[in-house]
């Protein structure tokens, strides 16, 4: 899977153009079924992007960047699962580090959202990742295991198998710095082992673990060649059709 997190970039109109440009590049470069490609516009762009995907019959998933866990109610500013499924969303990013830092997301709220996304028939892309201080203290492994255990608690084994987890070291996001592919793989392997301990070996085999943080066309295939990395969650490079499609192409070559 290669997923593009557009963050707080693109108006609705810009998003419609971007998804068309991506589709054009992918048609040229990509065997449609080889990988899942998902685009995650801001809420305001979802309808326009969804319309393009439907009218052009694009083989592309559509994700939101957040969702509230309640079905409806007096929750000013929040968006529900039903609002997203009506617009044919297939995925929801949950617990991105920017949501944790700027919007007070906790492991507990992440877990409520993950379960609500599954209950609505969509696929959560649950994010985890350590700060540089945690890494320097050699506590990455225990920190990530705890984040995954809390975020993925209370699922069925079948849901756990369908879960997507994005490992995004916070210090690598938007910084141009990345862990070595080997060290990223160490963490993604630990994430898989954590899911295995919680839900059994089939779930561990099937859960998809992505790497995110300064993924570019130049470094993508290094990450994709690691055995426990199943794709990428891409930020900055997802905002340009040529770089995003080059990353998707690299994933196909895995
Ligand atoms: P960058 O690819 O811009 O580092 O962002 C990664 C990210 O946060 C994707 O969710």
């Amino acid at each position: 899977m290669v997923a593009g997190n557009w963050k707080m970039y693109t108006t609705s109109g810009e998003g419609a153009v971007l998804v068309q440009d991506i589709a054009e590049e992918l048609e040229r470069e990509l065997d449609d079924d080889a990988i899942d490609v998902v685009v995650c516009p801001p809420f305001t762009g979802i309808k326009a992007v969804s319309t393009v995907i439907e009218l052009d019959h694009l083989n592309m998933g559509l994700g939101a960047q957040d969702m509230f866990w309640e079905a409806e109610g007096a929750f000013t500013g929040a968006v529900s699962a039903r609002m997203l499924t009506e617009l044919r969303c297939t995925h929801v990013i949950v617990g991105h580090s920017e949501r944790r830092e700027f919007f007070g997301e906790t492991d507990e709220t992440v877990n409520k959202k993950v379960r609500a996304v599954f209950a609505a028939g969509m696929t959560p892309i649950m994010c985890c990742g350590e700060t540089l201080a945690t890494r320097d203290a050699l506590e990455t492994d225990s920190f990530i295991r705890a984040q995954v255990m809390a975020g993925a608690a209370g699922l069925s084994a079948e849901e756990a198998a369908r879960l997507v987890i994005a490992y995004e070291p916070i210090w690598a996001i938007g910084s141009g710095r990345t862990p070595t592919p080997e060290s990223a793989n160490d963490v993604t392997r630990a994430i898989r082992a954590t899911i295995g301990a919680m839900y059994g070996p089939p779930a561990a085999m099937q859960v998809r673990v992505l790497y995110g943080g300064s993924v570019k066309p130049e470094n993508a295939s290094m990450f994709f060649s690691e055995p426990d990395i199943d794709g990428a969650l891409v930020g900055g490079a997802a905002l340009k059709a040529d770089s995003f499609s080059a990353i998707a192409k690299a994933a196909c070559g895995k």
Side-chain angles (χ1 to χ4, degrees), residues 2-7 168 211-213 215-216 224 232-239 243-244 247:
V2 172
N5 176 8
W6 295 0
K7 306 195 179 184
E168 300 204 316
Y211 168 75
V215 175
K216 309 278 179 236
F224 295 152
L233 181 55
V234 185
L239 294 168
S243 52
F244 185 64
I247 292 167

PDB file of all heavy atoms in Angstrom, residues 2-7 168 211-213 215-216 224 232-239 243-244 247:
ATOM      1  N   VAL A   2       0.494   2.176  -0.867  1.00  0.00           N
ATOM      2  CA  VAL A   2       1.110   3.507  -0.799  1.00  0.00           C
ATOM      3  C   VAL A   2      -0.026   4.500  -0.577  1.00  0.00           C
ATOM      4  O   VAL A   2      -0.950   4.590  -1.398  1.00  0.00           O
ATOM      5  CB  VAL A   2       1.903   3.845  -2.078  1.00  0.00           C
ATOM      6  CG1 VAL A   2       2.358   5.298  -2.060  1.00  0.00           C
ATOM      7  CG2 VAL A   2       3.123   2.921  -2.201  1.00  0.00           C
ATOM      8  N   ALA A   3       0.005   5.198   0.547  1.00  0.00           N
ATOM      9  CA  ALA A   3      -1.046   6.148   0.889  1.00  0.00           C
ATOM     10  C   ALA A   3      -0.464   7.547   0.951  1.00  0.00           C
ATOM     11  O   ALA A   3       0.646   7.751   1.470  1.00  0.00           O
ATOM     12  CB  ALA A   3      -1.678   5.775   2.239  1.00  0.00           C
ATOM     13  N   GLY A   4      -1.201   8.502   0.409  1.00  0.00           N
ATOM     14  CA  GLY A   4      -0.773   9.899   0.430  1.00  0.00           C
ATOM     15  C   GLY A   4      -1.585  10.675   1.448  1.00  0.00           C
ATOM     16  O   GLY A   4      -2.816  10.717   1.358  1.00  0.00           O
ATOM     17  N   ASN A   5      -0.913  11.232   2.427  1.00  0.00           N
ATOM     18  CA  ASN A   5      -1.550  12.088   3.424  1.00  0.00           C
ATOM     19  C   ASN A   5      -1.326  13.534   2.999  1.00  0.00           C
ATOM     20  O   ASN A   5      -0.218  14.040   3.106  1.00  0.00           O
ATOM     21  CB  ASN A   5      -0.929  11.803   4.801  1.00  0.00           C
ATOM     22  CG  ASN A   5      -1.464  12.732   5.874  1.00  0.00           C
ATOM     23  OD1 ASN A   5      -2.405  13.494   5.642  1.00  0.00           O
ATOM     24  ND2 ASN A   5      -0.865  12.665   7.056  1.00  0.00           N
ATOM     25  N   TRP A   6      -2.404  14.145   2.517  1.00  0.00           N
ATOM     26  CA  TRP A   6      -2.268  15.503   1.973  1.00  0.00           C
ATOM     27  C   TRP A   6      -2.227  16.560   3.071  1.00  0.00           C
ATOM     28  O   TRP A   6      -2.046  17.745   2.792  1.00  0.00           O
ATOM     29  CB  TRP A   6      -3.408  15.800   0.991  1.00  0.00           C
ATOM     30  CG  TRP A   6      -3.388  14.930  -0.247  1.00  0.00           C
ATOM     31  CD1 TRP A   6      -2.484  13.940  -0.556  1.00  0.00           C
ATOM     32  CD2 TRP A   6      -4.306  14.979  -1.345  1.00  0.00           C
ATOM     33  NE1 TRP A   6      -2.796  13.378  -1.770  1.00  0.00           N
ATOM     34  CE2 TRP A   6      -3.905  13.993  -2.280  1.00  0.00           C
ATOM     35  CE3 TRP A   6      -5.436  15.759  -1.639  1.00  0.00           C
ATOM     36  CZ2 TRP A   6      -4.594  13.765  -3.477  1.00  0.00           C
ATOM     37  CZ3 TRP A   6      -6.117  15.536  -2.824  1.00  0.00           C
ATOM     38  CH2 TRP A   6      -5.696  14.550  -3.740  1.00  0.00           C
ATOM     39  N   LYS A   7      -2.464  16.148   4.320  1.00  0.00           N
ATOM     40  CA  LYS A   7      -2.440  17.075   5.474  1.00  0.00           C
ATOM     41  C   LYS A   7      -3.297  18.305   5.176  1.00  0.00           C
ATOM     42  O   LYS A   7      -4.322  18.190   4.521  1.00  0.00           O
ATOM     43  CB  LYS A   7      -0.994  17.421   5.830  1.00  0.00           C
ATOM     44  CG  LYS A   7      -0.153  16.149   6.052  1.00  0.00           C
ATOM     45  CD  LYS A   7       1.149  16.402   6.735  1.00  0.00           C
ATOM     46  CE  LYS A   7       1.887  15.076   6.917  1.00  0.00           C
ATOM     47  NZ  LYS A   7       3.134  15.213   7.658  1.00  0.00           N
ATOM     48  N   GLU A 168       5.719   5.991  11.882  1.00  0.00           N
ATOM     49  CA  GLU A 168       6.243   7.285  11.470  1.00  0.00           C
ATOM     50  C   GLU A 168       7.050   7.904  12.607  1.00  0.00           C
ATOM     51  O   GLU A 168       6.464   8.535  13.500  1.00  0.00           O
ATOM     52  CB  GLU A 168       5.088   8.233  11.109  1.00  0.00           C
ATOM     53  CG  GLU A 168       4.212   7.746   9.976  1.00  0.00           C
ATOM     54  CD  GLU A 168       3.502   8.908   9.276  1.00  0.00           C
ATOM     55  OE1 GLU A 168       2.988   9.805   9.954  1.00  0.00           O
ATOM     56  OE2 GLU A 168       3.503   8.906   8.048  1.00  0.00           O
ATOM     57  N   TYR A 211       5.853   2.311   6.392  1.00  0.00           N
ATOM     58  CA  TYR A 211       6.806   3.284   6.942  1.00  0.00           C
ATOM     59  C   TYR A 211       6.407   4.674   6.442  1.00  0.00           C
ATOM     60  O   TYR A 211       6.010   4.831   5.276  1.00  0.00           O
ATOM     61  CB  TYR A 211       8.254   2.962   6.510  1.00  0.00           C
ATOM     62  CG  TYR A 211       9.148   4.137   6.843  1.00  0.00           C
ATOM     63  CD1 TYR A 211       9.523   4.376   8.162  1.00  0.00           C
ATOM     64  CD2 TYR A 211       9.494   5.070   5.865  1.00  0.00           C
ATOM     65  CE1 TYR A 211      10.252   5.507   8.503  1.00  0.00           C
ATOM     66  CE2 TYR A 211      10.232   6.196   6.195  1.00  0.00           C
ATOM     67  CZ  TYR A 211      10.599   6.411   7.513  1.00  0.00           C
ATOM     68  OH  TYR A 211      11.299   7.539   7.849  1.00  0.00           O
ATOM     69  N   GLY A 212       6.528   5.683   7.304  1.00  0.00           N
ATOM     70  CA  GLY A 212       6.293   7.067   6.891  1.00  0.00           C
ATOM     71  C   GLY A 212       7.309   7.993   7.520  1.00  0.00           C
ATOM     72  O   GLY A 212       7.764   7.761   8.649  1.00  0.00           O
ATOM     73  N   GLY A 213       7.652   9.058   6.820  1.00  0.00           N
ATOM     74  CA  GLY A 213       8.616  10.045   7.309  1.00  0.00           C
ATOM     75  C   GLY A 213       9.666  10.307   6.248  1.00  0.00           C
ATOM     76  O   GLY A 213      10.575   9.501   6.054  1.00  0.00           O
ATOM     77  N   VAL A 215       9.580  10.028   3.055  1.00  0.00           N
ATOM     78  CA  VAL A 215       9.675   9.085   1.928  1.00  0.00           C
ATOM     79  C   VAL A 215       9.644   9.886   0.624  1.00  0.00           C
ATOM     80  O   VAL A 215       8.780  10.739   0.429  1.00  0.00           O
ATOM     81  CB  VAL A 215       8.526   8.055   1.946  1.00  0.00           C
ATOM     82  CG1 VAL A 215       8.583   7.166   0.702  1.00  0.00           C
ATOM     83  CG2 VAL A 215       8.587   7.204   3.209  1.00  0.00           C
ATOM     84  N   LYS A 216      10.617   9.604  -0.227  1.00  0.00           N
ATOM     85  CA  LYS A 216      10.752  10.291  -1.516  1.00  0.00           C
ATOM     86  C   LYS A 216      10.991   9.230  -2.593  1.00  0.00           C
ATOM     87  O   LYS A 216      11.350   8.089  -2.271  1.00  0.00           O
ATOM     88  CB  LYS A 216      11.981  11.232  -1.498  1.00  0.00           C
ATOM     89  CG  LYS A 216      12.025  12.180  -0.316  1.00  0.00           C
ATOM     90  CD  LYS A 216      11.155  13.406  -0.531  1.00  0.00           C
ATOM     91  CE  LYS A 216      11.197  14.316   0.688  1.00  0.00           C
ATOM     92  NZ  LYS A 216       9.910  14.611   1.268  1.00  0.00           N
ATOM     93  N   PHE A 224      11.058  -0.256   0.798  1.00  0.00           N
ATOM     94  CA  PHE A 224      10.184  -1.331   0.299  1.00  0.00           C
ATOM     95  C   PHE A 224      10.921  -2.664   0.208  1.00  0.00           C
ATOM     96  O   PHE A 224      10.287  -3.716   0.184  1.00  0.00           O
ATOM     97  CB  PHE A 224       9.609  -0.957  -1.070  1.00  0.00           C
ATOM     98  CG  PHE A 224       8.701   0.240  -1.033  1.00  0.00           C
ATOM     99  CD1 PHE A 224       8.549   1.053  -2.150  1.00  0.00           C
ATOM    100  CD2 PHE A 224       7.989   0.568   0.116  1.00  0.00           C
ATOM    101  CE1 PHE A 224       7.714   2.159  -2.126  1.00  0.00           C
ATOM    102  CE2 PHE A 224       7.156   1.681   0.155  1.00  0.00           C
ATOM    103  CZ  PHE A 224       7.020   2.474  -0.973  1.00  0.00           C
ATOM    104  N   ALA A 232       4.121   2.582   2.213  1.00  0.00           N
ATOM    105  CA  ALA A 232       4.517   3.875   2.772  1.00  0.00           C
ATOM    106  C   ALA A 232       3.308   4.775   2.965  1.00  0.00           C
ATOM    107  O   ALA A 232       2.343   4.724   2.204  1.00  0.00           O
ATOM    108  CB  ALA A 232       5.517   4.558   1.854  1.00  0.00           C
ATOM    109  N   LEU A 233       3.387   5.597   4.009  1.00  0.00           N
ATOM    110  CA  LEU A 233       2.464   6.716   4.197  1.00  0.00           C
ATOM    111  C   LEU A 233       3.278   7.974   3.893  1.00  0.00           C
ATOM    112  O   LEU A 233       4.259   8.269   4.584  1.00  0.00           O
ATOM    113  CB  LEU A 233       1.911   6.735   5.626  1.00  0.00           C
ATOM    114  CG  LEU A 233       0.900   7.840   5.956  1.00  0.00           C
ATOM    115  CD1 LEU A 233      -0.299   7.839   5.003  1.00  0.00           C
ATOM    116  CD2 LEU A 233       0.406   7.707   7.396  1.00  0.00           C
ATOM    117  N   VAL A 234       2.874   8.670   2.841  1.00  0.00           N
ATOM    118  CA  VAL A 234       3.692   9.730   2.258  1.00  0.00           C
ATOM    119  C   VAL A 234       3.051  11.086   2.514  1.00  0.00           C
ATOM    120  O   VAL A 234       1.842  11.242   2.304  1.00  0.00           O
ATOM    121  CB  VAL A 234       3.841   9.501   0.732  1.00  0.00           C
ATOM    122  CG1 VAL A 234       4.788  10.518   0.131  1.00  0.00           C
ATOM    123  CG2 VAL A 234       4.308   8.083   0.438  1.00  0.00           C
ATOM    124  N   GLY A 235       3.838  12.060   2.972  1.00  0.00           N
ATOM    125  CA  GLY A 235       3.328  13.408   3.186  1.00  0.00           C
ATOM    126  C   GLY A 235       3.678  14.318   2.020  1.00  0.00           C
ATOM    127  O   GLY A 235       3.014  14.325   0.991  1.00  0.00           O
ATOM    128  N   GLY A 236       4.750  15.068   2.166  1.00  0.00           N
ATOM    129  CA  GLY A 236       5.132  16.080   1.181  1.00  0.00           C
ATOM    130  C   GLY A 236       5.189  15.567  -0.248  1.00  0.00           C
ATOM    131  O   GLY A 236       4.679  16.221  -1.169  1.00  0.00           O
ATOM    132  N   ALA A 237       5.770  14.395  -0.434  1.00  0.00           N
ATOM    133  CA  ALA A 237       5.928  13.864  -1.797  1.00  0.00           C
ATOM    134  C   ALA A 237       4.609  13.363  -2.377  1.00  0.00           C
ATOM    135  O   ALA A 237       4.554  13.011  -3.557  1.00  0.00           O
ATOM    136  CB  ALA A 237       6.971  12.743  -1.810  1.00  0.00           C
ATOM    137  N   ALA A 238       3.549  13.339  -1.568  1.00  0.00           N
ATOM    138  CA  ALA A 238       2.242  12.919  -2.083  1.00  0.00           C
ATOM    139  C   ALA A 238       1.493  14.079  -2.734  1.00  0.00           C
ATOM    140  O   ALA A 238       0.437  13.880  -3.332  1.00  0.00           O
ATOM    141  CB  ALA A 238       1.387  12.343  -0.948  1.00  0.00           C
ATOM    142  N   LEU A 239       2.026  15.287  -2.615  1.00  0.00           N
ATOM    143  CA  LEU A 239       1.348  16.475  -3.142  1.00  0.00           C
ATOM    144  C   LEU A 239       1.733  16.779  -4.580  1.00  0.00           C
ATOM    145  O   LEU A 239       1.247  17.743  -5.169  1.00  0.00           O
ATOM    146  CB  LEU A 239       1.661  17.684  -2.254  1.00  0.00           C
ATOM    147  CG  LEU A 239       1.082  17.590  -0.829  1.00  0.00           C
ATOM    148  CD1 LEU A 239       1.672  18.669   0.064  1.00  0.00           C
ATOM    149  CD2 LEU A 239      -0.441  17.692  -0.859  1.00  0.00           C
ATOM    150  N   SER A 243       6.032  12.666  -8.133  1.00  0.00           N
ATOM    151  CA  SER A 243       6.780  12.001  -7.058  1.00  0.00           C
ATOM    152  C   SER A 243       5.928  10.920  -6.381  1.00  0.00           C
ATOM    153  O   SER A 243       6.422   9.836  -6.065  1.00  0.00           O
ATOM    154  CB  SER A 243       7.320  13.009  -6.037  1.00  0.00           C
ATOM    155  OG  SER A 243       6.309  13.854  -5.563  1.00  0.00           O
ATOM    156  N   PHE A 244       4.634  11.184  -6.213  1.00  0.00           N
ATOM    157  CA  PHE A 244       3.777  10.166  -5.581  1.00  0.00           C
ATOM    158  C   PHE A 244       3.701   8.911  -6.455  1.00  0.00           C
ATOM    159  O   PHE A 244       3.819   7.786  -5.960  1.00  0.00           O
ATOM    160  CB  PHE A 244       2.383  10.733  -5.320  1.00  0.00           C
ATOM    161  CG  PHE A 244       1.478   9.812  -4.562  1.00  0.00           C
ATOM    162  CD1 PHE A 244       1.766   9.442  -3.248  1.00  0.00           C
ATOM    163  CD2 PHE A 244       0.328   9.289  -5.146  1.00  0.00           C
ATOM    164  CE1 PHE A 244       0.927   8.585  -2.531  1.00  0.00           C
ATOM    165  CE2 PHE A 244      -0.518   8.427  -4.438  1.00  0.00           C
ATOM    166  CZ  PHE A 244      -0.204   8.080  -3.133  1.00  0.00           C
ATOM    167  N   ILE A 247       6.813   6.828  -6.273  1.00  0.00           N
ATOM    168  CA  ILE A 247       6.875   6.007  -5.045  1.00  0.00           C
ATOM    169  C   ILE A 247       5.978   4.776  -5.209  1.00  0.00           C
ATOM    170  O   ILE A 247       6.364   3.663  -4.854  1.00  0.00           O
ATOM    171  CB  ILE A 247       6.471   6.863  -3.820  1.00  0.00           C
ATOM    172  CG1 ILE A 247       7.532   7.932  -3.564  1.00  0.00           C
ATOM    173  CG2 ILE A 247       6.288   5.975  -2.585  1.00  0.00           C
ATOM    174  CD1 ILE A 247       7.107   9.019  -2.583  1.00  0.00           C
TER     175      ILE A 247
END
